Amino acid sequence: GLAWRVAKTPIFYHESIECTGVVPGHYAMVPTEGWKKRERPVFGIVTDQYEPLQNTEAFAFFDPLVADGRAAYETAGALGQGERVWILARLKDSIRIGKNGSEDEVRQYLLLSNSHDGKSSVQIKFTPIRVVCNNTLTMALSQGEAVHIDHAPDLRERIAAARTLFAHVVSVYRRIDEQFNRLAVVPVVEKRLDTYLSGVFPDPTPPEPGKPSQRYEYHRLRARRDRHCCNVLFDRWRNRLHGTDGTLWAAYNSVTEYVDHRHAVGNNRALNPSSRLQSMWFGNGCATKIRAFDVAMTFAQEWRK
């Protein structure tokens, strides 16, 4: 049901009967043919330089991988009112974590998202998913585990050129495999766990003397709650698998499990599936998991000395 199209439509202003006109150089992005719902939302406001990319065009990005048998389409959907659409393709191989490489499986995925809001680029992200708890494991984007393509006039040419990046997929996932298994051989005792979680969820900077402290106290208590919840999850069965129990890998996944499955408690907005997925893949949840991985890799180097 995602094969609907979008179009740049003129924006009109209407101050009075005598004062009506078109806003120059700006357009509303709206769904057109194939849209099933009665209402037609405005996904965003764009300028002349913005180049729409239809959903079917964006999704065709993965077709060569699927045709070669190296990947399979698994699921797709839309977020918000439809301003962001995504498709998840599973690659053929998996990553095995821990002793003997057989206890903890991480499946290799590529996530493509296309937006129509005028604010986001086309993104192709490496999104490995841990099977035992369906955590989406997110690495630092600075390492190259994402491709961003702006909605500019030469968009289609760059989409075609980006297809050559699939030759790089295997080497990137090989590096991810090495990094994950590096975390699985670093032991984490209670003091190390506290140090790691404090790096992921640090206390806020105290306010200056005489300044209001209410916001500081709120964020301090929130950070303490986040650390406590992850500490509890560190000792749960999903993170106590044979071969990875009591390691930095387990500590890292206590955070990813918390972000993806537990963090919504008490937050009505986060209970909305669309909002949660938005956060997990593109928003604050994604940023937290990136930080968790970065901190884990830093301590992996320090604690193995």
Side-chain angles (χ1 to χ4, degrees):
L2 298 174
W4 41 267
R5 300 180 65 82
V6 295
K8 292 163 60 174
T9 58
I11 300 175
F12 295 87
Y13 65 87
H14 176 77
E15 295 183 14
S16 64
I17 296 297
E18 295 79 16
C19 187
T20 302
V22 178
V23 178
H26 289 78
Y27 304 87
M29 289 295 300
V30 300
T32 56
E33 56 187 274
W35 182 255
K36 302 298 184 183
K37 299 177 183 178
R38 184 174 181 179
E39 70 281 358
R40 294 185 182 272
V42 174
F43 293 144
I45 306 299
V46 300
T47 63
D48 289 319
Q49 288 73 37
Y50 185 86
E51 177 72 14
L53 182 67
Q54 305 301 336
N55 297 340
T56 52
E57 294 176 315
F59 289 170
F61 187 94
F62 286 152
D63 284 347
L65 269 185
V66 175
D68 291 344
R70 291 180 288 169
Y73 290 120
E74 186 155 298
T75 186
L79 298 177
Q81 294 180 292
E83 62 270 18
R84 187 193 291 269
V85 295
W86 55 269
I87 190 166
L88 198 61
R90 179 183 171 185
L91 302 183
K92 190 175 181 180
D93 298 323
S94 294
I95 296 171
R96 299 286 179 172
I97 311 296
K99 297 175 182 176
N100 302 320
S102 60
E103 295 299 331
D104 204 349
E105 181 185 2
V106 176
R107 291 176 180 166
Q108 302 177 5
Y109 286 88
L110 292 173
L111 171 70
L112 184 145
S113 67
N114 180 35
S115 69
H116 305 295
D117 59 6
K119 299 177 182 178
S120 306
S121 57
V122 179
Q123 295 185 33
I124 302 96
K125 301 178 70 174
F126 287 70
T127 53
I129 295 178
R130 189 176 178 225
V131 174
V132 70
C133 50
N134 272 343
N135 295 354
T136 302
L137 311 179
T138 308
M139 284 69 61
L141 302 184
S142 61
Q143 296 187 10
E145 276 76 46
V147 179
H148 300 267
I149 306 173
D150 295 330
H151 283 254
D154 60 345
L155 173 64
R156 284 170 183 79
E157 287 78 3
R158 284 182 290 151
I159 283 280
R163 291 194 174 113
T164 60
L165 288 173
F166 285 134
H168 189 55
V169 167
V170 173
S171 63
V172 171
Y173 259 120
R174 186 180 298 117
R175 185 170 76 250
I176 293 172
D177 186 332
E178 294 171 354
Q179 291 171 324
F180 284 173
N181 275 285
R182 193 183 313 164
L183 299 181
V185 297
V186 179
V188 172
V189 295
E190 183 175 354
K191 186 175 181 180
R192 282 185 173 183
L193 180 61
D194 292 341
T195 301
Y196 170 69
L197 293 178
S198 294
V200 180
F201 302 106
D203 286 332
T205 303
E208 297 178 7
K211 297 287 185 178
S213 61
Q214 185 175 1
R215 187 170 181 84
Y216 164 75
E217 287 298 326
Y218 167 79
H219 286 290
R220 187 179 68 86
L221 292 175
R222 180 173 177 176
R224 179 182 296 180
R225 179 203 66 187
D226 293 340
R227 293 195 297 265
H228 171 74
C229 291
C230 292
N231 201 313
V232 171
L233 291 173
F234 178 75
D235 288 325
R236 295 288 175 87
W237 71 268
R238 294 181 184 87
N239 297 313
R240 300 201 66 172
L241 300 179
H242 178 67
T244 60
D245 183 19
T247 66
L248 198 49
W249 168 256
Y252 163 58
N253 276 288
S254 72
V255 179
T256 63
E257 181 179 355
Y258 176 59
V259 170
D260 284 2
H261 303 294
R262 314 284 181 168
H263 197 240
V265 175
N267 186 342
N268 291 332
R269 183 177 182 276
L271 290 173
N272 177 288
S274 180
S275 297
R276 291 193 66 185
L277 200 57
Q278 175 76 26
S279 176
M280 286 164 51
W281 283 350
F282 308 106
N284 291 335
C286 177
T288 299
K289 290 186 288 185
I290 289 173
R291 185 167 65 251
F293 180 77
D294 285 347
V295 173
M297 291 305 299
T298 298
F299 284 129
Q301 183 174 355
E302 179 180 330
W303 290 339
R304 288 196 68 185
K305 293 180 180 179

